[in-house]
Amino acid sequence: MKKINCLRCGVPMKHLFNQRIQLGGASWLLPDLNNIMSGYLPVMILVCPKCRKLEFFLLSEKQRNKHE
Ligand SMILES: [Zn+2]
């Protein structure tokens, strides 16, 4: 996995965990993706060790299988 630096601090962000975010009625979250996702969004969550900012990245099916 390539390094991702915090946009605020510029320090490398740490991988926290992968999570599936249930979409049931959660149209406030990325509503444009509702029609192509079936029930949940597989995401990778990173945290900045300095300012504790969280970053979410959407995983493809291929990436999700690799990380689980
Ligand atoms: Zn930071």
Side-chain angles (χ1 to χ4, degrees):
M1 189 175 70
K2 68 175 182 179
K3 291 270 190 205
I4 297 172
N5 291 337
C6 176
L7 293 175
R8 295 164 188 252
C9 314
V11 301
M13 301 190 77
K14 292 187 186 305
H15 179 250
L16 205 56
F17 53 80
N18 292 343
Q19 179 70 292
R20 292 178 185 181
I21 297 178
Q22 293 295 325
L23 279 185
S27 56
W28 53 270
L29 182 74
L30 304 174
D32 292 344
L33 294 174
N34 271 348
N35 53 350
I36 62 169
M37 293 294 169
S38 56
Y40 66 88
L41 284 176
V43 296
M44 176 178 69
I45 302 175
L46 302 176
V47 61
C48 171
K50 193 170 176 185
C51 70
R52 306 188 72 77
K53 172 181 166 56
L54 293 177
E55 290 242 42
F56 294 75
F57 291 90
L58 187 62
L59 298 176
S60 67
E61 281 298 307
K62 191 177 172 186
Q63 287 173 308
R64 182 172 62 83
N65 291 336
K66 196 173 80 177
H67 283 291
E68 274 183 351

